[in-house]
Amino acid sequence: MEHFIVSARKYRPQTFEDVIGQQAITNTLENAIKNNHLAQALLFTGPRGVGKTTCARILAKRINQASCGNLDEDFAFNIFELDAASNNSVDDIRNLNDQVRIPPQTGKYKVYIIDEVHMLSSAAFNAFLKTLEEPPAHAIFILATTEKHKIIPTILSRCQIFDFKRIGVLDTKNYLKKIAVQENIEADDDALHIIAQKADGALRDALSIFDRVVSFSGKELTRKAVTENLNVLDYDEYFKTTDLLLENDIPEVLVHFNSILSKGFDGNHFITGLASHFRDLLVSKDKITIELLEVGDNAKKKYLSQAEKCDLRFLLKGIELANDCDLKYKSSKNQRLLVELALMQLASVTFDGEKKNNKPFIISAVVFRSKTSKKSNAKFIVKEEIKVVAKQKVPAIKNESKITVTPGIETSKADLKNTGRRRSDLSLKSIERKTEISKMEVVYDEVEGLPTDAFSESKLLLLWESYINNLIEHGKKSLASIMNSNVPRLENRIIHFQLPNAMMKDQLDRAKFPLVKYLREKLNNFKIDLIIDVNEEETKKFAYTPDEKYQKLKEKNSALELLKKTFDLDL
């Protein structure tokens, strides 16, 4: 049986050109050798598996090859590797200092590679200082570590530092594809991409995972085999979850989540993956950010397709809810319920409940069959038993003394007025009459021939002022003050009125019907409407909570923050 060599050793780079993802460092070292500008003490630092020791070995070999001109000689006797994890005492460093004094028998340089140099003790570091600062001309030291912060500053100041970076997912995937071709393995692009993502920037880890998956699936490497072996949740599960969320199908979402748990996946793993999925959909919605999508070619098509279905508001809210669930997961006593609650909230982001009719006008109090108005000489065309879809009522019809409601029954205009003022939807009497009222209101758009006389903004302002005075006479000073807080603005028969906060808006909304009715009657235009907005910038000017009041005071006097910190004051 042939001895198996792991890919990390079998495909270890032998030249700087073979090193993946560290072009800046390898070019610098290559130029330093060519120009005879190489420092005698170098420190290679960075994450595990990114090529620190490999580059140190290549550099050690290339130094003597360049000086002697013999590219076939490996000068193995001139290279000394020391593991600082097991040789970290003062005696070990003293032995090293004694060996450094001896010049090489072949070649020009002796190269000392000290791996995991941060494991040296403080005494060993101090014993190494003098040799590292003034080494013999034939000695070059290459230190390698994953934890630069543990090395004392006096050592760092004597070294030329090279920071190795994590290897990109795309570079790792391409390198794995190259190895798969050499090993005659058929590998899916998505499968290699998942391995590269799982390696998290460490090429040695990627090669170890590659060997493991090949042992599991043989010469055919599929995405399904990789996800099963690595215990990675397939991205198809996230695509299906997102589709169910967009359909507001809460029962199916919960059943799907249960099936994921039954496969042995953790709820925290699922919710963090869902947040990442929403992030990938978000970057897929814009051509500028599409480069941030690090997935395979097949997966990229799916992301682009699903991103078109997703609203931007849904994705932003989804990331927020999923991230909030992730933060609370470890401290939660009922972790499954926490994730299920987040999923139900996500499924409700795009859910409007009982969607209301967007037609804004209502004729209330009576259902007309057909009648010709003397003023407009047009017919009212109506439908019986139409549900309530808004809160405005039609004004009293002028110049009509009687209206036919049903065959053989006549109703005076006074009777129509006596139908009563529209009550709040929450009042008991309103609840008792809900069925009756729902059959007595029709949409304005269902009616033909309502007058729409033109009017000026100045006339509107006069009527607005008149209505405010009328409110004051009847003791409704609070509502009058709200209406007097701003000036209405007219745009295309729509009256826009801004208020500084939502509380005032709610109060005016409750009194909106009689105001709109009054304006329609006086202006003889039944197509106008009132839209009440909240000016967010104006809202910020009002301070309600203690914190807001403190922020207002701090804007006026910046020294207030210094006073608070100095005496450790609280609000």
Side-chain angles (χ1 to χ4, degrees):
M1 182 176 179
E2 187 178 353
H3 178 65
F4 174 72
I5 302 175
V6 296
S7 298
R9 288 180 55 198
K10 184 177 181 180
Y11 295 100
R12 182 188 289 272
Q14 299 300 316
T15 63
F16 283 131
E17 290 77 9
D18 297 334
V19 178
I20 304 299
Q22 309 293 347
Q23 282 76 16
I25 293 175
T26 55
N27 290 341
T28 302
L29 295 174
E30 188 72 43
N31 292 332
I33 295 172
K34 289 180 181 178
N35 300 326
N36 194 24
H37 200 264
L38 190 68
Q40 285 192 277
L42 300 95
L43 175 65
F44 291 172
T45 178
R48 69 183 189 281
V50 294
K52 298 185 297 298
T53 305
T54 297
C55 285
R57 290 178 179 179
I58 295 173
L59 177 63
K61 184 171 65 174
R62 286 282 290 111
I63 290 171
N64 283 310
Q65 287 178 344
S67 61
C68 298
N70 187 0
L71 299 180
D72 296 328
E73 178 66 41
D74 59 359
F75 296 96
F77 293 105
N78 291 36
I79 301 172
F80 302 89
E81 286 196 44
L82 178 69
D83 180 20
S86 55
N87 301 280
N88 54 7
S89 65
V90 176
D91 292 336
D92 294 323
I93 296 300
R94 286 174 179 169
N95 292 334
L96 177 64
N97 294 337
D98 293 339
Q99 293 177 15
V100 167
R101 298 173 187 173
I102 304 172
Q105 294 182 0
T106 59
K108 188 177 180 181
Y109 297 102
K110 291 175 71 176
V111 183
Y112 294 87
I113 301 173
I114 305 177
D115 205 3
E116 304 297 335
V117 69
H118 66 275
M119 299 291 286
L120 290 177
S121 63
S122 298
F125 272 129
N126 291 324
F128 190 41
L129 280 176
K130 192 63 178 176
T131 304
L132 193 64
E133 185 176 12
E134 297 178 359
H138 60 268
I140 291 179
F141 293 97
I142 304 176
L143 315 180
T145 180
T146 57
E147 301 181 49
K148 183 175 70 172
H149 61 278
K150 291 185 178 180
I151 301 176
I152 60 176
T154 48
I155 292 288
L156 294 176
S157 64
R158 288 166 168 79
C159 297
Q160 194 173 84
I161 301 174
F162 291 86
D163 287 299
F164 284 69
K165 63 181 181 180
R166 291 183 181 276
I167 301 173
V169 175
L170 187 61
D171 290 337
T172 304
K173 185 184 74 172
N174 291 334
Y175 190 69
L176 292 176
K177 187 183 294 185
K178 179 181 177 182
I179 292 176
V181 172
Q182 295 183 17
E183 295 290 333
N184 296 320
I185 296 173
E186 295 183 7
D188 291 348
D189 186 74
D190 289 341
L192 296 178
H193 191 90
I194 293 172
I195 294 174
Q197 283 184 319
K198 187 76 173 178
D200 193 26
L203 190 58
R204 183 170 62 236
D205 291 354
L207 292 171
S208 299
I209 295 171
F210 179 79
D211 289 343
R212 187 174 115 199
V213 176
V214 168
S215 299
F216 173 76
S217 60
K219 292 292 184 179
E220 188 175 352
L221 208 61
T222 62
R223 176 166 59 89
K224 184 178 180 181
V226 171
T227 54
E228 287 181 4
N229 189 263
L230 301 182
N231 195 32
V232 175
L233 195 56
D234 195 355
Y235 59 73
D236 280 342
E237 302 290 348
Y238 294 119
F239 280 114
K240 184 177 179 181
T241 302
T242 305
D243 286 335
L244 293 174
L245 293 174
L246 291 173
E247 294 170 4
N248 312 120
D249 196 342
I250 292 178
E252 283 296 327
V253 169
L254 297 180
V255 171
H256 181 59
F257 175 59
N258 182 67
S259 67
I260 291 173
L261 293 178
S262 64
K263 295 177 183 178
F265 291 102
D266 183 52
N268 193 25
H269 177 68
F270 167 76
I271 201 68
T272 53
L274 187 61
S276 299
H277 182 74
F278 287 150
R279 176 262 181 195
D280 290 339
L281 289 174
L282 186 63
V283 301
S284 301
K285 291 186 72 67
D286 198 309
K287 294 180 180 179
I288 299 176
T289 56
I290 194 69
E291 297 178 358
L292 302 177
L293 186 64
E294 293 184 345
V295 295
D297 295 335
N298 295 331
K300 183 175 288 188
K301 295 178 182 177
K302 293 185 177 181
Y303 274 103
L304 293 173
S305 176
Q306 192 171 71
E308 294 178 358
K309 305 177 187 176
C310 297
D311 182 58
L312 185 63
R313 183 176 66 91
F314 167 76
L315 294 176
L316 292 174
K317 190 65 176 177
I319 293 173
E320 179 185 349
L321 290 172
N323 186 56
D324 185 59
C325 179
D326 178 33
L327 294 174
K328 296 177 181 177
Y329 190 85
K330 290 184 179 179
S331 61
S332 175
K333 293 183 179 180
N334 194 339
Q335 295 175 334
R336 174 170 180 160
L337 179 61
L338 180 68
V339 179
E340 288 176 339
L341 180 60
L343 291 173
M344 287 187 282
Q345 289 175 325
L346 286 168
S348 304
V349 170
T350 58
F351 182 66
D352 295 332
E354 295 182 1
K355 296 185 179 180
K356 296 185 177 181
N357 197 321
N358 57 3
K359 299 177 181 179
F361 300 111
I362 294 294
I363 296 178
S364 64
V366 72
V367 178
F368 301 98
R369 287 199 178 274
S370 64
K371 188 68 180 176
T372 303
S373 170
K374 293 181 180 179
K375 186 167 186 177
S376 61
N377 195 24
K379 290 185 177 181
F380 290 94
I381 303 173
V382 297
K383 296 180 180 180
E384 295 185 4
E385 298 185 0
I386 298 177
K387 290 186 177 181
V388 180
V389 294
K391 294 184 179 180
Q392 287 90 343
K393 295 185 178 181
V394 72
I397 301 175
K398 299 180 179 181
N399 302 324
E400 287 292 335
S401 59
K402 293 181 180 180
I403 300 174
T404 301
V405 180
T406 55
I409 301 176
E410 292 186 345
T411 305
S412 66
K413 187 166 75 172
D415 292 333
L416 293 178
K417 290 183 177 180
N418 291 333
T419 54
R421 182 168 59 89
R422 184 182 179 89
R423 294 177 174 83
S424 167
D425 291 340
L426 299 178
S427 67
L428 293 176
K429 291 184 178 180
S430 177
I431 295 172
E432 292 172 358
R433 297 182 59 215
K434 183 176 180 181
T435 306
E436 178 185 354
I437 293 174
S438 66
K439 295 180 180 180
M440 295 173 63
E441 295 186 341
V442 294
V443 184
Y444 252 129
D445 291 351
E446 305 286 346
V447 180
E448 296 179 356
L450 292 176
T452 57
D453 293 355
F455 60 93
S456 63
E457 189 169 356
S458 59
K459 187 176 181 181
L460 170 65
L461 295 177
L462 289 174
L463 290 173
W464 189 273
E465 186 68 27
S466 175
Y467 194 84
I468 292 173
N469 295 333
N470 188 36
L471 289 174
I472 295 174
E473 291 175 4
H474 287 81
K476 299 181 179 180
K477 295 182 180 180
S478 176
L479 184 59
S481 176
I482 292 173
M483 290 184 60
N484 204 25
S485 64
N486 203 349
V487 179
R489 179 171 48 86
L490 182 65
E491 289 184 6
N492 299 326
R493 296 185 301 187
I494 303 296
I495 303 170
H496 294 270
F497 189 67
Q498 285 190 346
L499 288 171
N501 58 62
M503 188 183 301
M504 296 172 70
K505 178 181 181 298
D506 292 339
Q507 191 171 349
L508 186 56
D509 274 333
R510 290 194 294 269
K512 180 179 175 181
F513 160 66
L515 172 60
V516 175
K517 178 178 182 296
Y518 171 81
L519 295 174
R520 287 174 180 168
E521 288 181 349
K522 294 297 183 181
L523 297 172
N524 199 33
N525 188 318
F526 293 93
K527 293 296 182 182
I528 63 173
D529 191 20
L530 174 63
I531 295 179
I532 306 169
D533 299 315
V534 176
N535 190 339
E536 295 180 357
E537 295 181 358
E538 189 69 21
T539 302
K540 292 177 183 177
K541 297 179 182 179
F542 292 83
Y544 297 103
T545 65
D547 185 61
E548 291 173 347
K549 292 176 181 178
Y550 170 72
Q551 295 298 331
K552 288 289 183 182
L553 292 173
K554 192 171 73 172
E555 290 176 5
K556 296 180 180 179
N557 189 348
S558 58
L560 193 62
E561 180 68 16
L562 179 61
L563 177 68
K564 181 174 178 289
K565 289 182 179 178
T566 303
F567 294 99
D568 194 20
L569 301 178
D570 198 1
L571 297 178

